[in-house]
Each structure stands twice: as structure tokens, then as C-alpha cells.
Amino acid sequence: MAWGLTFLLLGGSVAAVEILPPQAFTERFAQALGAAEPSASVAVRQELRLTVRTADGNTNDINLTNIYGEYRGQPERFDDLVQLFARAVRDPVPAKLQLSRVVPMIKDRGWLAEIAPIFRSRGHEPLFEPLNKELVIAYVEDSSTRARYLNTGDEVGDRNTLRARAIGNLKRILPKIEMRPHEDGWASISAGGNYEPSLLLIDEMWSTGQIKVDGDVVIAVPGRDALLVTGSNNRAGLKAMRAMAEKLATAPYRLTKALFVYREGRFVAFDPN
């Protein structure tokens, strides 16, 4: 596979930067991560997959697909991405789950199908709840260096209160929520870059009429950092938002290009007909 090229502007001149293909990137990343954290054993499992065994004996499977997407967009950040992973390897996982750090993360069912076999190989299932036919609510323990997905073996107390507790934690850690309208009839909502889709779970955002649109609220969550909104009667907004969702759903940390409408207190698949 031929290497790609991207260009960086350096001191007024343009310099070509070679983009490693996935397998070469995986091997280089493994070498760099091992050098950055020599106490860990890093091995290439397959293309864009690593196995990392830490000094305390824990073994983790790492999927580099999203990291590779970030690297392709900004190859100059390769060392930063390695250091980000090295800090996560260096930071010990707390022996006991910290419920005050558990927050909900919206994922699609494709992600669930991909991640479930990894959990099962460790004797558990991923801890999740269905949101609708396309999306699920996963739960993560969010620390300064990692977000660890919870599994059915984690002690979370009463499962019936987990969602409310996690949403409360989310509200506590979220930065200011901002809404930016676009000329073609839709708006983007930002909240720090990690939990925008999780805002779907904050019901008062959607049920009180504070987000004013033409018709019912229609949203898209094409990526981890993307939440788009328009109205069900806004044909231009729907067309433009759908096009943007399709574009963003190909980026790193992608979710789904599908649209959802808020009706009777929940988000369901949007049918324009």
C-alpha cells in the first residue's frame, strides 16, 4: 500500500509529510509506546490493534482506529498521541469503581457488536441500556487520562438508579453548553468535545421548549463531539443537516449518520414521510 502525503506550512514554506498506512502506523505506534512507557509490554495484535500488558499484570486490548483517523488529519501530532496513551498506561486503574466518575456515553449498535466479543473474552458483557433501535447508552468511568467502559461485573449498586446517577455526574462535569446556528437552517451544539451525544439524556434540554425549531426537534449525532439540530418542518435545514451528518460520520470517533426526532419524551428514528 502506498503512503499518502499531507502538507504542513513551516515558516512560510510547504513541507510534505508522509502518512503511514495502517499496518506501518500500528507497528510504529507500538514501538513508540513501548519506548515512552518501558515498564509495559506492547505487542501488535493485528492492524490497528495492540495488546498492552502493564507492570501490574493487567492486559488491555487497544483499538487504534480512531487514533489513526486523528493522525491522518494531523500527522504532526503523532508524538502527542503516543504520550496520551503512555499516560493512560502509567495511570493505574483504581481498584474500586468510583461511582462519582461514572457518566453515560451514547454509542451505536455497530460499536456494541464490535466491543462485545472483547468483553466476553474477559468473562463479562458490556454494561449498557438501549436508547432506541439505533443507539445505546454505555457507561464509562471517566478519569483525567482514560474513559473505562463498565461491564456487567462492575459493582454499580442498583441498576435501576444508574442512569439517573450517571446523568447527574455528567451535568456536574460538563462545561458551558453552547448552540451555534448555521445559515442553512440547522444548528450545532457543543459541550466540551466528548459528551455532546450524551446531551440527548438531559431531558429538560428538549422538553421545555428552550431549543426553538420549526416543528419537532430533529437531531443527528454523527460523532462523539457532534450534536446537530433542526426542525421537522424545516426542509432546507433537514437537507443541510443530513449532508453534514453524512460527512461527520466518516471522521474519527464516528457514530451514525441517522437522524432522530424527539417525540413523547424520547428520541426515535426520524422518518421524513
Side-chain angles (χ1 to χ4, degrees), residues 107-110 130-136 260 266-269:
K107 292 291 186 179
D108 66 351
R109 291 185 181 269
L131 182 63
N132 55 37
K133 293 181 179 180
E134 180 87 14
L135 302 174
V136 299
F260 304 91
R266 57 194 296 261
F267 283 98
V268 297

Side-chain angles (χ1 to χ4, degrees), residues 39-134:
S39 66
S41 173
V42 183
V44 175
R45 181 179 176 187
Q46 62 187 66
E47 183 177 283
L48 297 180
R49 293 291 181 92
L50 301 179
T51 298
V52 178
R53 182 181 295 275
T54 56
D56 57 9
N58 288 322
T59 299
N60 296 294
D61 297 321
I62 297 177
N63 187 332
L64 296 177
T65 302
N66 290 326
I67 295 299
Y68 183 65
E70 290 194 37
Y71 159 78
R72 283 185 60 85
Q74 296 179 289
E76 71 278 9
R77 290 194 61 228
F78 179 86
D79 291 339
D80 292 338
L81 296 172
V82 171
Q83 289 302 320
L84 179 67
F85 268 81
R87 287 194 296 272
V89 170
R90 203 175 299 130
D91 182 24
V93 177
K96 185 177 180 180
L97 176 68
Q98 300 180 65
L99 286 173
S100 63
R101 290 183 174 274
V102 173
V103 291
M105 182 174 281
I106 302 299
K107 292 291 186 179
D108 66 351
R109 291 185 181 269
W111 170 88
L112 184 62
E114 179 181 347
I115 204 75
I118 298 175
F119 279 82
R120 288 171 189 150
S121 69
R122 301 171 184 169
H124 297 290
E125 296 284 341
L127 186 59
F128 76 97
E129 297 178 29
L131 182 63
N132 55 37
K133 293 181 179 180
E134 180 87 14

